């Protein structure tokens, strides 16, 4: 069963607008972690933000915030004031908390294009 | 501090050839892993290691072999390359530390083409 679902294959957003990238997940664990990564055209995987399942507040990192809705099992990434450099693939990933488990399960990604 | 390094960056193989993708990290991380990325798909876990001398299979282990003799190095071996193994390969490392924000540090990737 697919554990991470990203339903938006591609998005086009006007520069300076805010954008929300959707991510839903499926797990029976009570303890887990959610990650967002950015992959620009150069190919490297860049860590953006992390949310633990027990964190009561939504994670924020600069222009990135994670809209964590535990009951809905969603972990949407919000980018405020988008910039041309935000054009990239974005991947949501989940780590299920088991001892010694640092394995990430990735979604299929969303390609974000920022329009000048 | 170089982070996670991978060599080579690009490789072309013929079907049936074997090769080793190198991965090294200088952060003293316990956990290392190998992923492959195919078009239209996210990264999929091939093998992982929770420490020197300990390895285990991930989601797509067939056709690959790993070993972890040191904390720093985690090579991935293709035993007999097949066109289906054409992909981009990423190595990652992380540490397990309670109470701290976690992340996995990824290498720059190796693009492999099997003809």
């Amino acid at each position: 069963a697919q554990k991470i679902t990203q339903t938006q294959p591609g998005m086009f957003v006007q520069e300076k607008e805010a954008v929300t990238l959707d991510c839903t997940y499926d797990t029976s664990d009570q303890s887990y972690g959610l990650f967002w990564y950015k992959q620009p055209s150069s190919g490297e995987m860049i860590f953006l933000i992390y949310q633990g399942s027990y964190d009561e507040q939504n994670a924020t990192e600069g222009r990135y915030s994670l809209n964590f809705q535990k009951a809905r099992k969603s972990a949407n990434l919000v980018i405020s004031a988008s910039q041309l450099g935000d054009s990239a693939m974005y991947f949501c990933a989940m780590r299920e908390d088991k001892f010694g488990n640092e394995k990430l399960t990735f979604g299929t990604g969303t390609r974000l294009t920022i329009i000048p | 501090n170089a982070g996670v390094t991978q060599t080579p960056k690009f490789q072309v193989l013929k079907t049936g050839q074997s090769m080793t993708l190198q991965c090294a990290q200088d952060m003293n991380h316990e956990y290392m892993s190998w992923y492959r990325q195919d078009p239209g798909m996210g990264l999929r876990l091939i093998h992982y290691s929770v420490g020197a001398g300990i390895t285990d299979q991930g989601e797509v282990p067939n056709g690959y072999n790993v070993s972890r003799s040191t904390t720093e190095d985690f090579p991935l071996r293709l035993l007999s390359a097949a066109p289906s193994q054409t992909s981009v390969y990423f190595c990652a490392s992380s540490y397990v530390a309670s109470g701290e924000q976690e992340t996995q540090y990824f290498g720059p990737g190796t693009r492999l083409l099997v003809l």
Side-chain angles (χ1 to χ4, degrees):
Chain A
Q2 191 170 7
K3 294 189 174 182
I4 295 286
T5 302
Q6 294 181 253
T7 57
Q8 305 153 312
M11 288 187 69
F12 291 84
V13 173
Q14 205 73 38
E15 188 180 7
K16 300 182 183 178
E17 289 185 351
V19 56
T20 298
L21 305 181
D22 295 340
C23 173
T24 58
Y25 60 91
D26 182 29
T27 181
S28 56
D29 288 348
Q30 296 301 309
S31 178
Y32 49 90
L34 296 157
F35 301 77
W36 277 93
Y37 284 87
K38 173 183 179 181
Q39 187 178 42
S41 57
S42 53
E44 72 267 33
M45 296 290 289
I46 302 169
F47 166 75
L48 294 178
I49 198 166
Y50 166 81
Q51 177 87 40
S53 59
Y54 290 118
D55 295 338
E56 295 185 352
Q57 291 196 334
N58 287 343
T60 60
E61 288 287 343
R63 294 187 298 113
Y64 304 107
S65 60
L66 199 151
N67 184 0
F68 181 46
Q69 299 189 28
K70 196 170 182 177
R72 294 186 177 185
K73 293 187 175 179
S74 74
N76 298 340
L77 176 71
V78 180
I79 307 174
S80 63
S82 58
Q83 303 170 357
L84 295 178
D86 294 332
S87 294
M89 282 289 289
Y90 288 81
F91 291 97
C92 179
M94 177 175 67
R95 174 186 51 72
E96 293 175 294
D97 270 342
K98 296 177 176 61
F99 176 74
N101 178 13
E102 289 292 307
K103 298 182 287 185
L104 294 180
T105 300
F106 283 83
T108 52
T110 296
R111 182 172 297 280
L112 176 64
T113 302
I114 306 300
I115 305 168
Chain B
N1 191 331
V4 181
T5 58
Q6 291 183 238
T7 56
K9 290 186 178 180
F10 304 96
Q11 184 70 47
V12 179
L13 290 178
K14 294 181 179 179
T15 297
Q17 287 184 317
S18 63
M19 78 159 294
T20 300
L21 278 64
Q22 301 291 345
C23 174
Q25 52 91 9
D26 60 359
M27 298 172 282
N28 202 32
H29 286 172
E30 301 165 349
Y31 188 89
M32 296 185 74
S33 53
W34 277 101
Y35 294 86
R36 61 177 287 173
Q37 183 179 27
D38 301 301
M41 306 183 74
L43 278 68
R44 292 183 293 168
L45 183 66
I46 304 171
H47 284 286
Y48 66 99
S49 168
V50 299
I54 306 170
T55 64
D56 206 346
Q57 296 180 350
E59 182 184 355
V60 287
N62 293 341
Y64 306 95
N65 211 349
V66 292
S67 60
R68 183 98 178 268
S69 56
T70 66
T71 300
E72 294 78 19
D73 300 299
F74 190 44
L76 178 72
R77 297 182 186 85
L78 279 68
L79 308 173
S80 178
S84 62
Q85 294 179 304
T86 293
S87 188
V88 180
Y89 292 84
F90 287 97
C91 179
S93 75
S94 65
Y95 66 96
V96 180
S98 62
E100 296 184 29
Q101 178 169 294
E102 306 179 38
T103 188
Q104 288 207 2
Y105 297 85
F106 282 84
T110 294
R111 292 184 177 273
L112 177 66
L113 173 62
V114 182
L115 302 175

